[in-house]
Amino acid sequence: MLPILIPTTHVGCSAALALTMEGLEVTEVIMNDYHHYGRMFTEQWQSKQGFILVEHDVVPWPGAISELDSCTKECCGFEYPNGIIYKEPRSGWCTSLGCTKFATSLVDRISYNLEWQNRGWDELDGSVLATLEDYEVVMHIHHPPVAHVKATTLIYRRVG
């Protein structure tokens, strides 16, 4: 299986707990600053070793990571719901870096983009996906979607 990296702010995040309960080996990488995610991603890409990225607030269903690992596509992932933030509901689905596989053949074939290491955690996805698009790489989407911890925050309304 490809290495599973989880960028997180603390050890024992939701993604790591779910995946280790499934018996998978994960590496939680503590993000020390705004640009750490971009540096970690760039370093992994430079290693020419494929990897599976699961963000700390994304919880794959049992078997989802094995499905990504066995997929023949070079870049694939799962959709997940956009976050619902108190008094600011956002709807729809996103297919960002939250639960994505980058095959060894892909990271070996496409050079990393220097700007990735200078991107903050909230900008990295756009930069990576734009680079892949430049190489006509289209992310293959698996179904059903995975969970997004942010999406579990509900807006309660008083009835009556």
Side-chain angles (χ1 to χ4, degrees):
M1 175 159 299
L2 290 172
I4 303 167
L5 302 179
I6 302 174
T8 184
T9 58
H10 63 282
V11 173
C13 65
S14 300
L17 292 174
L19 295 176
T20 56
M21 288 294 293
E22 194 177 335
L24 297 173
E25 185 177 323
V26 302
T27 301
E28 291 179 276
V29 182
I30 305 300
M31 300 290 104
N32 295 319
D33 60 63
Y34 180 68
H35 294 100
H36 197 159
Y37 190 13
R39 291 192 310 272
M40 179 213 70
F41 191 91
T42 303
E43 288 170 13
Q44 182 62 39
W45 201 281
Q46 287 174 311
S47 77
K48 302 291 186 181
Q49 166 68 51
F51 58 103
I52 295 172
L53 185 69
V54 180
E55 292 180 345
H56 70 107
D57 57 355
V58 173
V59 180
W61 41 265
I65 298 303
S66 295
E67 185 175 311
L68 289 181
D69 190 62
S70 64
C71 182
T72 60
K73 302 292 185 183
E74 287 187 308
C75 181
C76 59
F78 286 95
E79 290 182 315
Y80 48 93
N82 283 339
I84 298 173
I85 300 171
Y86 181 70
K87 292 188 179 182
E88 185 189 328
R90 291 182 281 170
S91 61
W93 301 90
C94 70
T95 53
S96 189
L97 300 180
C99 187
T100 308
K101 176 191 84 175
F102 302 95
T104 299
S105 59
L106 179 72
V107 300
D108 188 48
R109 181 171 58 85
I110 296 176
S111 295
Y112 66 93
N113 186 328
L114 281 173
E115 75 176 42
W116 294 349
Q117 62 192 349
N118 298 317
R119 295 293 180 176
W121 62 266
D122 58 343
E123 303 172 325
L124 181 63
D125 58 346
S127 185
V128 169
L129 297 175
T131 299
L132 294 177
E133 190 175 288
D134 289 344
Y135 287 90
E136 299 180 357
V137 174
V138 177
M139 186 186 297
H140 174 242
I141 305 301
H142 291 256
H143 296 282
V146 294
H148 190 199
V149 175
K150 287 181 185 175
T152 62
T153 304
L154 300 176
I155 298 173
Y156 293 97
R157 293 198 173 98
R158 188 174 179 180
V159 178

